[in-house]
Amino acid sequence: DADVTQTPRNRITKTGKRIMLECSQTKGHDRMYWYRQDPGLGLQLIYYSFDVKDINKGEISDGYSVSRQAQAKFSLSLESAIPNQTALYFCATSDRSGYTFGSGTRLTVV
Amino acid sequence: SQQGEEDPQALSIQEGENATMNCSYKTSINNLQWYRQNSGRGLVHLILIRSNEREKHSGRLRVTLDTSKKSSSLLITASRAADTASYFCATDWETSGSRLTFGEGTQLTVNP
């Protein structure tokens, strides 16, 4: 099993719909992150969590919310999806050695 | 913005040649990390170099860090077609630690 698992892998949704992306990790790390990547660009931080009771906004949190259900689970929600949220979304976890990323969720909002 | 900037944006070389990618950043850092991304897939951690280190090696990878110039370089020696990917530098710069800021990456193509 992958260290960081994201579901779904691909999703097409309509404008205005609420959608949840899920992430779970088996690394046992406290820190988890959600990033967004637009074509040809680097990653932008949406939200991050340093433990179950700690949630922080990143650079581009508007239009998104998160829930840290357990140490191993961190979900990202788009409350009302819009087309410019079409992107590749990555979940990650980290310790002092570096980050481990999931394989990503490709989200298309039509 | 602390965002790292990679140079060049794209690099095309022949198999067996060395590839050098550079990264510059703006403020003091705790560490700098390099990641590889194959097309449309997740990022893979390559090397982490701390602010008090100047050079680090891992297999065919060599990373240098010059904190006075706020820059880092990634050297891949004896490149292979399988090295074709995007390479990103990321800086860990907050005092609270572990909140990476990524550059836009260098697209490396290694031709057989």
Side-chain angles (χ1 to χ4, degrees):
Chain A
D1 287 344
D3 292 327
V4 180
T5 301
Q6 291 184 233
T7 57
R9 290 295 303 274
N10 295 281
R11 179 74 181 266
I12 301 174
T13 192
K14 293 183 178 180
T15 297
K17 293 291 188 182
R18 184 178 189 274
I19 182 170
M20 179 182 288
L21 310 182
E22 299 190 4
C23 175
S24 63
Q25 53 107 349
T26 58
K27 301 284 283 186
H29 297 161
D30 288 324
R31 299 181 174 189
M32 297 188 73
Y33 312 80
W34 275 104
Y35 283 87
R36 150 182 185 155
Q37 185 179 33
D38 293 283
L41 298 180
L43 277 67
Q44 295 177 281
L45 183 62
I46 307 172
Y47 270 95
Y48 61 105
S49 169
F50 284 175
D51 66 41
V52 175
K53 297 180 180 178
D54 177 76
I55 302 289
N56 304 281
K57 293 182 177 181
E59 304 155 352
I60 54 164
S61 59
D62 287 349
Y64 301 94
S65 62
V66 291
S67 174
R68 185 80 185 267
Q69 300 95 326
Q71 184 201 43
K73 296 183 182 297
F74 192 35
S75 60
L76 174 73
S77 294
L78 285 68
E79 299 302 324
S80 178
I82 56 177
N84 75 2
Q85 290 178 312
T86 292
L88 192 53
Y89 290 84
F90 289 103
C91 174
T93 185
S94 76
D95 66 359
R96 290 171 57 85
S97 299
Y99 281 41
T100 303
F101 283 83
S103 297
T105 294
R106 186 171 298 279
L107 177 67
T108 304
V109 183
V110 298
Chain B
S1 168
Q2 170 60 7
Q3 185 177 31
E5 296 182 359
E6 282 98 336
D7 170 58
Q9 288 186 323
L11 179 61
S12 181
I13 60 175
Q14 296 299 123
E15 225 171 9
E17 294 180 340
N18 296 341
T20 299
M21 289 159 269
N22 302 296
C23 171
S24 61
Y25 56 93
K26 295 181 179 177
T27 65
S28 297
I29 60 171
N30 301 314
N31 63 68
L32 185 145
Q33 304 177 29
W34 285 90
Y35 289 82
R36 183 185 74 211
Q37 182 182 35
N38 291 90
S39 179
R41 301 183 67 84
L43 279 74
V44 174
H45 179 258
L46 297 176
I47 287 186
L48 181 154
I49 187 165
R50 303 191 188 285
S51 60
N52 61 353
E53 297 175 310
R54 292 297 167 258
E55 187 170 314
K56 215 164 181 181
H57 296 256
S58 176
R60 294 183 296 113
L61 306 181
R62 173 179 169 250
V63 169
T64 61
L65 179 65
D66 186 336
T67 53
S68 67
K69 295 181 180 179
K70 293 185 171 57
S71 67
S72 174
S73 66
L74 170 67
L75 169 67
I76 304 174
T77 59
S79 63
R80 306 166 182 168
D83 294 328
T84 294
S86 292
Y87 291 82
F88 294 90
C89 71
T91 52
D92 176 351
W93 53 275
E94 284 201 281
T95 52
S96 59
S98 195
R99 184 181 157 182
L100 291 183
T101 300
F102 285 82
E104 295 187 354
T106 293
Q107 172 61 50
L108 172 66
T109 302
V110 181
N111 301 299

